[in-house]
Amino acid sequence: LGAGESGEAAAVLLRQENAMITILDTAEENKLRKKIDALGTQGIRVIAGLAAEHELARGRVSIAASPTALRSAVGEASDRDS
C-alpha cells in the first residue's frame, strides 16, 4: 500500500480488522513524517524512500484496493463467518 489518500484509508480499514499493515512509499521519509507518526499510533508501519524501493526490489508485493471495495469484501467475509 502506498501512503496516498486511498492507500492510507485502506491501511486504516484493514488495521481495524486486526491486519498487520506495512505501507511502502517511495516518497522521502521527511515528506511523510507527519503521516508516518500518525499511522504509527494506529499500529501501521510505514517504510519510505530508498528503504521502500529496496523492499519493492526484493519482490515485495503491495496491493491497494479502494476503501469501498475493501469494506464490501470485509462485510462479505463477516457474513460468511456468521
Coordinates of all heavy atoms in Angstrom, one line a residue:
L1 N 0.8 -1.2 0.0 CA 0.0 0.0 0.0 C 0.9 1.2 0.0 O 1.9 1.3 0.7 CB -0.9 0.0 1.2 CG -1.9 -1.1 1.5 CD1 -2.5 -1.0 2.9 CD2 -3.0 -1.0 0.4
G2 N 0.5 2.2 -0.8 CA 1.2 3.5 -0.7 C 0.6 4.4 0.3 O -0.4 4.0 0.9
A3 N 1.2 5.5 0.6 CA 0.8 6.4 1.7 C -0.1 7.5 1.2 O -0.4 8.4 1.9 CB 1.9 7.0 2.5
G4 N -0.6 7.3 0.0 CA -1.6 8.3 -0.6 C -2.9 8.2 0.1 O -3.1 7.3 1.0
E5 N -3.9 9.0 -0.3 CA -5.2 9.0 0.4 C -5.9 7.7 0.4 O -6.3 7.2 1.5 CB -6.0 10.1 -0.3 CG -7.3 10.4 0.4 CD -8.1 11.5 -0.3 OE1 -7.5 12.5 -0.7 OE2 -9.3 11.3 -0.4
S6 N -5.9 7.0 -0.7 CA -6.7 5.7 -0.8 C -5.9 4.6 -0.1 O -6.4 3.8 0.6 CB -7.0 5.3 -2.2 OG -5.9 5.2 -3.0
G7 N -4.5 4.7 -0.2 CA -3.7 3.7 0.5 C -3.8 3.8 2.0 O -3.9 2.8 2.7
E8 N -3.8 5.0 2.5 CA -3.9 5.3 3.9 C -5.3 4.8 4.4 O -5.4 4.1 5.4 CB -3.7 6.7 4.2 CG -3.9 7.1 5.7 CD -3.7 8.5 6.0 OE1 -3.4 9.3 5.1 OE2 -3.9 8.9 7.2
A9 N -6.3 5.1 3.7 CA -7.7 4.7 4.1 C -7.8 3.1 4.1 O -8.4 2.6 5.0 CB -8.7 5.3 3.1
A10 N -7.2 2.5 3.1 CA -7.2 1.0 3.0 C -6.5 0.4 4.2 O -6.9 -0.5 4.8 CB -6.7 0.5 1.7
A11 N -5.3 1.0 4.5 CA -4.5 0.5 5.6 C -5.2 0.7 6.9 O -5.2 -0.3 7.7 CB -3.2 1.3 5.7
V12 N -5.9 1.8 7.1 CA -6.6 2.0 8.4 C -7.8 1.0 8.5 O -8.0 0.4 9.6 CB -7.1 3.5 8.5 CG1 -8.1 3.7 9.6 CG2 -5.9 4.4 8.6
L13 N -8.5 0.8 7.4 CA -9.6 -0.1 7.4 C -9.1 -1.5 7.7 O -9.7 -2.2 8.6 CB -10.4 -0.1 6.1 CG -11.5 -1.0 6.0 CD1 -12.6 -0.7 7.0 CD2 -12.1 -1.0 4.5
L14 N -8.1 -1.9 7.1 CA -7.5 -3.3 7.3 C -7.0 -3.4 8.7 O -7.1 -4.5 9.3 CB -6.5 -3.6 6.3 CG -7.0 -3.9 4.9 CD1 -5.8 -3.9 3.9 CD2 -7.8 -5.2 4.8
R15 N -6.4 -2.4 9.2 CA -5.9 -2.4 10.6 C -7.0 -2.6 11.6 O -6.9 -3.3 12.6 CB -5.1 -1.1 10.9 CG -4.4 -1.2 12.3 CD -3.3 -2.3 12.3 NE -2.9 -2.4 13.7 CZ -3.0 -3.6 14.4 NH1 -3.4 -4.7 13.8 NH2 -2.7 -3.6 15.7
Q16 N -8.2 -1.9 11.3 CA -9.3 -2.1 12.2 C -9.8 -3.5 12.2 O -10.5 -3.9 13.1 CB -10.5 -1.1 11.7 CG -10.2 0.3 12.0 CD -11.1 1.3 11.3 OE1 -12.0 0.9 10.5 NE2 -11.0 2.5 11.6
E17 N -9.5 -4.3 11.2 CA -9.8 -5.7 11.1 C -8.7 -6.6 11.6 O -8.6 -7.8 11.4 CB -10.2 -6.1 9.6 CG -11.4 -5.4 9.1 CD -12.7 -5.7 9.9 OE1 -12.8 -6.9 10.3 OE2 -13.5 -4.8 10.1
N18 N -7.8 -5.9 12.4 CA -6.6 -6.6 13.0 C -5.6 -7.1 12.1 O -4.8 -8.0 12.4 CB -7.1 -7.7 14.0 CG -7.9 -7.1 15.1 OD1 -7.6 -6.1 15.7 ND2 -9.0 -7.8 15.4
A19 N -5.5 -6.6 10.8 CA -4.5 -7.0 9.9 C -3.2 -6.3 10.3 O -3.2 -5.2 10.9 CB -4.8 -6.6 8.5
M20 N -2.0 -7.0 10.0 CA -0.7 -6.3 10.2 C -0.4 -5.6 8.9 O -0.3 -6.3 7.9 CB 0.3 -7.4 10.6 CG 0.0 -8.0 11.9 SD 1.2 -9.3 12.3 CE 2.7 -8.4 12.3
I21 N -0.2 -4.3 9.0 CA -0.1 -3.5 7.8 C 1.3 -2.8 7.8 O 1.8 -2.2 8.7 CB -1.1 -2.4 7.7 CG1 -2.6 -3.0 7.8 CG2 -1.0 -1.5 6.5 CD1 -2.9 -3.9 6.6
T22 N 1.9 -2.9 6.6 CA 3.1 -2.1 6.3 C 2.9 -1.4 5.0 O 2.5 -2.0 4.0 CB 4.4 -3.0 6.2 OG1 4.6 -3.7 7.4 CG2 5.6 -2.2 5.8
I23 N 3.0 -0.1 5.1 CA 2.9 0.8 3.9 C 4.3 1.0 3.3 O 5.2 1.3 4.1 CB 2.2 2.1 4.2 CG1 0.8 1.9 4.6 CG2 2.4 3.1 3.0 CD1 0.1 3.2 5.0
L24 N 4.4 0.8 2.0 CA 5.7 1.1 1.3 C 5.4 2.3 0.4 O 4.5 2.3 -0.4 CB 6.2 -0.1 0.4 CG 6.4 -1.4 1.2 CD1 6.8 -2.4 0.2 CD2 7.6 -1.2 2.2
D25 N 6.2 3.4 0.6 CA 6.0 4.6 -0.2 C 7.4 5.1 -0.6 O 8.2 5.3 0.3 CB 5.2 5.6 0.5 CG 4.7 6.7 -0.4 OD1 5.5 7.4 -1.1 OD2 3.4 6.8 -0.5
T26 N 7.6 5.4 -1.9 CA 8.9 5.8 -2.3 C 9.2 7.3 -2.1 O 10.3 7.7 -2.3 CB 9.1 5.5 -3.8 OG1 8.1 6.1 -4.6 CG2 9.1 4.0 -4.0
A27 N 8.2 8.0 -1.6 CA 8.5 9.4 -1.2 C 9.5 9.5 -0.1 O 9.6 8.5 0.7 CB 7.2 10.1 -0.8
E28 N 10.2 10.6 0.0 CA 11.2 10.7 1.1 C 10.5 10.7 2.4 O 9.5 11.3 2.6 CB 12.0 12.0 0.9 CG 12.8 12.0 -0.4 CD 13.6 13.3 -0.6 OE1 13.9 14.0 0.4 OE2 13.9 13.6 -1.7
E29 N 11.2 10.1 3.4 CA 10.7 9.9 4.7 C 10.3 11.3 5.4 O 9.3 11.4 6.0 CB 11.7 9.2 5.6 CG 11.2 8.8 7.0 CD 12.1 8.0 7.8 OE1 12.9 7.2 7.2 OE2 12.0 8.0 9.0
N30 N 11.2 12.3 5.2 CA 10.9 13.6 5.8 C 9.6 14.2 5.2 O 8.9 15.0 5.9 CB 12.1 14.6 5.6 CG 12.4 14.9 4.2 OD1 12.0 14.1 3.3 ND2 13.2 15.9 4.0
K31 N 9.2 13.9 4.0 CA 8.0 14.4 3.4 C 6.8 13.7 4.0 O 5.7 14.2 4.0 CB 8.0 14.3 1.9 CG 9.0 15.2 1.2 CD 8.9 15.1 -0.3 CE 9.9 16.0 -0.9 NZ 9.8 15.9 -2.4
L32 N 7.0 12.5 4.5 CA 5.9 11.7 5.1 C 5.9 11.7 6.6 O 5.1 11.0 7.2 CB 6.0 10.3 4.5 CG 5.8 10.0 3.1 CD1 6.1 8.6 2.7 CD2 4.4 10.4 2.6
R33 N 6.8 12.4 7.2 CA 7.0 12.3 8.7 C 5.7 12.4 9.5 O 5.4 11.6 10.4 CB 8.0 13.4 9.2 CG 8.2 13.4 10.7 CD 8.5 12.2 11.4 NE 9.6 11.4 10.8 CZ 9.6 10.0 10.9 NH1 8.8 9.4 11.6 NH2 10.6 9.4 10.3
K34 N 4.8 13.4 9.2 CA 3.6 13.5 10.0 C 2.7 12.3 9.8 O 2.1 11.8 10.7 CB 2.8 14.8 9.6 CG 3.5 16.1 10.1 CD 2.7 17.3 9.7 CE 3.4 18.5 10.2 NZ 2.7 19.8 9.8
K35 N 2.6 11.9 8.5 CA 1.8 10.7 8.2 C 2.3 9.4 8.9 O 1.6 8.6 9.4 CB 1.6 10.5 6.7 CG 0.6 9.5 6.3 CD 0.4 9.5 4.8 CE -0.5 10.7 4.5 NZ -1.2 10.6 3.2
I36 N 3.7 9.3 8.8 CA 4.3 8.1 9.5 C 4.0 8.1 11.0 O 3.6 7.0 11.5 CB 5.8 8.2 9.2 CG1 6.1 7.9 7.7 CG2 6.6 7.2 10.1 CD1 7.6 8.1 7.3
D37 N 4.1 9.2 11.6 CA 3.8 9.3 13.0 C 2.4 9.0 13.3 O 2.1 8.3 14.3 CB 4.2 10.7 13.6 CG 5.7 10.9 13.5 OD1 6.5 10.0 13.4 OD2 6.1 12.1 13.6
A38 N 1.5 9.6 12.6 CA 0.0 9.4 12.8 C -0.4 7.9 12.6 O -1.1 7.4 13.4 CB -0.8 10.3 11.9
L39 N 0.1 7.3 11.5 CA -0.2 5.9 11.2 C 0.4 5.0 12.3 O -0.2 4.0 12.7 CB 0.2 5.6 9.8 CG -0.6 6.2 8.7 CD1 0.1 6.0 7.4 CD2 -2.0 5.7 8.7
G40 N 1.6 5.4 12.7 CA 2.3 4.6 13.8 C 1.5 4.5 15.0 O 1.5 3.4 15.7
T41 N 0.8 5.5 15.4 CA -0.1 5.5 16.6 C -1.2 4.5 16.4 O -1.8 4.1 17.4 CB -0.6 6.8 17.0 OG1 -1.5 7.3 16.0 CG2 0.5 7.9 17.2
Q42 N -1.5 4.1 15.2 CA -2.6 3.1 14.9 C -2.1 1.7 14.7 O -2.8 0.8 14.3 CB -3.4 3.6 13.7 CG -4.1 5.0 13.9 CD -4.8 5.4 12.7 OE1 -5.7 4.8 12.2 NE2 -4.3 6.5 12.1
G43 N -0.7 1.6 14.8 CA -0.1 0.3 14.6 C 0.2 0.0 13.2 O 0.4 -1.2 12.8
I44 N 0.3 1.0 12.4 CA 0.6 0.8 10.9 C 2.0 1.3 10.7 O 2.4 2.4 11.0 CB -0.4 1.6 10.1 CG1 -1.8 1.1 10.3 CG2 0.0 1.5 8.6 CD1 -2.9 2.0 9.6
R45 N 2.8 0.3 10.2 CA 4.2 0.6 9.9 C 4.4 1.3 8.5 O 3.7 0.9 7.6 CB 5.0 -0.7 9.9 CG 6.5 -0.5 9.7 CD 7.2 -1.9 9.9 NE 8.6 -1.8 9.5 CZ 9.3 -2.7 8.9 NH1 8.7 -3.8 8.6 NH2 10.5 -2.5 8.7
V46 N 5.2 2.2 8.4 CA 5.5 2.9 7.1 C 7.0 2.8 6.8 O 7.8 3.2 7.6 CB 5.0 4.4 7.1 CG1 5.4 5.0 5.7 CG2 3.6 4.5 7.4
I47 N 7.3 2.3 5.6 CA 8.7 2.2 5.1 C 8.7 3.2 3.9 O 7.9 3.1 3.0 CB 9.1 0.8 4.7 CG1 9.0 -0.2 5.8 CG2 10.5 0.8 4.1 CD1 9.3 -1.6 5.5
A48 N 9.6 4.2 4.0 CA 9.6 5.2 3.0 C 11.0 5.4 2.3 O 12.0 4.9 2.8 CB 9.2 6.6 3.7
G49 N 10.9 6.1 1.2 CA 12.2 6.4 0.5 C 12.9 5.3 -0.1 O 12.3 4.3 -0.6
L50 N 14.2 5.3 0.0 CA 15.1 4.3 -0.6 C 14.8 2.9 0.1 O 14.9 1.9 -0.6 CB 16.5 4.6 -0.4 CG 17.0 5.8 -1.3 CD1 18.5 6.1 -1.0 CD2 16.9 5.4 -2.8
A51 N 14.5 2.9 1.4 CA 14.2 1.7 2.1 C 12.9 1.0 1.4 O 12.9 -0.2 1.2 CB 13.9 1.9 3.5
A52 N 11.9 1.8 1.1 CA 10.8 1.2 0.4 C 11.1 0.7 -1.0 O 10.7 -0.4 -1.4 CB 9.7 2.3 0.3
E53 N 12.0 1.4 -1.7 CA 12.4 1.0 -3.0 C 13.1 -0.4 -2.9 O 12.9 -1.2 -3.7 CB 13.3 2.0 -3.7 CG 12.5 3.3 -4.1 CD 13.4 4.3 -4.8 OE1 14.4 3.9 -5.4 OE2 13.1 5.5 -4.7
H54 N 14.0 -0.5 -1.9 CA 14.7 -1.8 -1.7 C 13.7 -2.9 -1.4 O 13.9 -4.0 -1.9 CB 15.7 -1.6 -0.6 CG 16.9 -0.8 -1.0 ND1 17.4 0.1 -0.1 CD2 17.6 -0.7 -2.1 CE1 18.5 0.7 -0.7 NE2 18.6 0.2 -1.9
E55 N 12.7 -2.6 -0.6 CA 11.7 -3.7 -0.2 C 11.0 -4.1 -1.5 O 10.8 -5.3 -1.7 CB 10.8 -3.2 0.8 CG 11.4 -3.0 2.2 CD 11.8 -4.4 2.8 OE1 11.0 -5.3 2.7 OE2 13.0 -4.4 3.3
L56 N 10.6 -3.1 -2.3 CA 9.9 -3.4 -3.6 C 10.8 -4.2 -4.5 O 10.3 -5.1 -5.2 CB 9.4 -2.1 -4.2 CG 8.3 -1.4 -3.5 CD1 8.1 0.0 -4.0 CD2 7.0 -2.2 -3.6
A57 N 12.1 -3.8 -4.6 CA 13.0 -4.5 -5.5 C 13.2 -6.0 -5.0 O 13.5 -6.8 -5.9 CB 14.3 -3.8 -5.5
R58 N 13.0 -6.2 -3.8 CA 13.2 -7.6 -3.2 C 12.0 -8.5 -3.6 O 11.9 -9.6 -3.2 CB 13.4 -7.6 -1.7 CG 14.7 -7.0 -1.3 CD 14.9 -6.9 0.2 NE 14.6 -8.2 0.8 CZ 14.3 -8.2 2.1 NH1 14.2 -7.2 2.9 NH2 14.0 -9.4 2.7
G59 N 11.0 -7.9 -4.3 CA 9.9 -8.7 -4.7 C 8.7 -8.6 -3.8 O 7.7 -9.4 -3.9
R60 N 8.7 -7.6 -2.9 CA 7.5 -7.4 -2.1 C 6.4 -6.9 -2.9 O 6.5 -6.1 -3.8 CB 7.8 -6.3 -1.0 CG 9.0 -6.6 -0.1 CD 8.6 -7.6 0.9 NE 9.8 -7.9 1.7 CZ 9.7 -8.1 3.0 NH1 8.6 -8.1 3.6 NH2 10.8 -8.4 3.7
V61 N 5.2 -7.5 -2.7 CA 4.0 -7.1 -3.5 C 3.2 -6.2 -2.6 O 2.9 -6.5 -1.5 CB 3.3 -8.4 -3.9 CG1 2.0 -8.0 -4.6 CG2 4.2 -9.3 -4.7
S62 N 2.7 -5.1 -3.2 CA 1.8 -4.3 -2.5 C 0.4 -4.3 -3.3 O 0.4 -4.2 -4.5 CB 2.3 -2.9 -2.3 OG 2.6 -2.3 -3.6
I63 N -0.6 -4.3 -2.5 CA -1.9 -4.3 -3.1 C -2.8 -3.2 -2.5 O -2.8 -3.1 -1.3 CB -2.7 -5.7 -2.9 CG1 -1.8 -6.8 -3.5 CG2 -4.1 -5.6 -3.5 CD1 -2.3 -8.2 -3.2
A64 N -3.4 -2.4 -3.3 CA -4.2 -1.4 -2.7 C -5.6 -1.4 -3.5 O -5.6 -1.4 -4.7 CB -3.6 0.0 -2.9
A65 N -6.6 -1.6 -2.8 CA -8.0 -1.6 -3.4 C -8.7 -0.3 -2.8 O -8.3 0.2 -1.8 CB -8.7 -2.8 -3.0
S66 N -9.7 0.1 -3.5 CA -10.5 1.2 -2.9 C -11.1 0.9 -1.6 O -11.4 -0.3 -1.4 CB -11.5 1.6 -3.9 OG -12.6 0.7 -3.9
P67 N -11.2 1.8 -0.7 CA -11.8 1.5 0.6 C -13.3 1.0 0.4 O -13.6 0.1 1.2 CB -11.9 2.9 1.3 CG -10.7 3.6 0.7 CD -10.7 3.2 -0.8
T68 N -14.0 1.4 -0.6 CA -15.3 0.8 -0.8 C -15.3 -0.6 -1.1 O -16.0 -1.4 -0.5 CB -16.1 1.6 -1.9 OG1 -16.1 3.0 -1.6 CG2 -17.5 1.1 -2.1
A69 N -14.4 -1.0 -1.9 CA -14.2 -2.5 -2.3 C -13.8 -3.3 -1.0 O -14.2 -4.4 -0.8 CB -13.2 -2.6 -3.4
L70 N -12.9 -2.7 -0.2 CA -12.4 -3.4 1.0 C -13.6 -3.5 2.0 O -13.7 -4.6 2.6 CB -11.3 -2.6 1.6 CG -10.0 -2.7 0.8 CD1 -8.9 -1.7 1.4 CD2 -9.4 -4.1 0.9
R71 N -14.4 -2.5 2.2 CA -15.5 -2.6 3.1 C -16.4 -3.7 2.6 O -16.9 -4.5 3.4 CB -16.2 -1.3 3.2 CG -15.6 -0.3 4.1 CD -16.5 0.9 4.4 NE -15.7 2.0 4.7 CZ -15.2 3.0 3.9 NH1 -15.5 2.9 2.7 NH2 -14.5 3.9 4.4
S72 N -16.7 -3.8 1.3 CA -17.6 -4.8 0.8 C -17.0 -6.2 1.0 O -17.7 -7.1 1.5 CB -17.8 -4.5 -0.7 OG -18.5 -5.6 -1.3
A73 N -15.7 -6.3 0.8 CA -15.0 -7.6 1.0 C -15.0 -8.0 2.4 O -15.3 -9.2 2.8 CB -13.6 -7.6 0.4
V74 N -14.8 -7.1 3.3 CA -14.8 -7.4 4.7 C -16.2 -7.8 5.2 O -16.4 -8.7 5.9 CB -14.2 -6.2 5.6 CG1 -14.5 -6.4 7.1 CG2 -12.7 -6.0 5.3
G75 N -17.2 -7.0 4.7 CA -18.5 -7.3 5.1 C -19.0 -8.7 4.6 O -19.6 -9.5 5.3
E76 N -18.6 -9.1 3.4 CA -18.9 -10.4 2.8 C -18.2 -11.5 3.6 O -18.8 -12.5 3.9 CB -18.5 -10.5 1.4 CG -19.4 -9.7 0.5 CD -18.9 -9.6 -1.0 OE1 -18.0 -10.4 -1.3 OE2 -19.4 -8.7 -1.7
A77 N -17.0 -11.3 4.0 CA -16.3 -12.3 4.8 C -16.9 -12.4 6.2 O -17.1 -13.5 6.7 CB -14.8 -11.9 5.0
S78 N -17.3 -11.3 6.8 CA -18.0 -11.4 8.1 C -19.3 -12.1 8.0 O -19.7 -12.9 8.9 CB -18.3 -10.0 8.6 OG -17.1 -9.3 8.9
D79 N -20.1 -11.9 6.9 CA -21.3 -12.6 6.7 C -21.1 -14.1 6.6 O -21.9 -14.9 7.1 CB -22.0 -12.1 5.4 CG -22.6 -10.6 5.6 OD1 -22.6 -10.2 6.7 OD2 -22.9 -10.0 4.6
R80 N -20.1 -14.5 5.9 CA -19.8 -15.9 5.8 C -19.4 -16.6 7.1 O -19.7 -17.7 7.3 CB -18.6 -16.1 4.8 CG -19.0 -16.0 3.3 CD -17.9 -16.5 2.4 NE -16.6 -15.9 2.7 CZ -16.2 -14.8 2.0 NH1 -16.9 -14.3 1.0 NH2 -15.0 -14.3 2.2
D81 N -18.7 -15.8 7.9 CA -18.3 -16.3 9.2 C -19.4 -16.4 10.2 O -19.3 -17.1 11.2 CB -17.2 -15.4 9.8 CG -15.9 -15.5 9.0 OD1 -15.7 -16.5 8.2 OD2 -15.1 -14.6 9.1
S82 N -20.5 -15.7 10.0 CA -21.6 -15.7 10.9 C -22.4 -17.0 10.9 O -22.5 -17.7 10.0 CB -22.6 -14.6 10.6 OG -21.9 -13.4 10.8

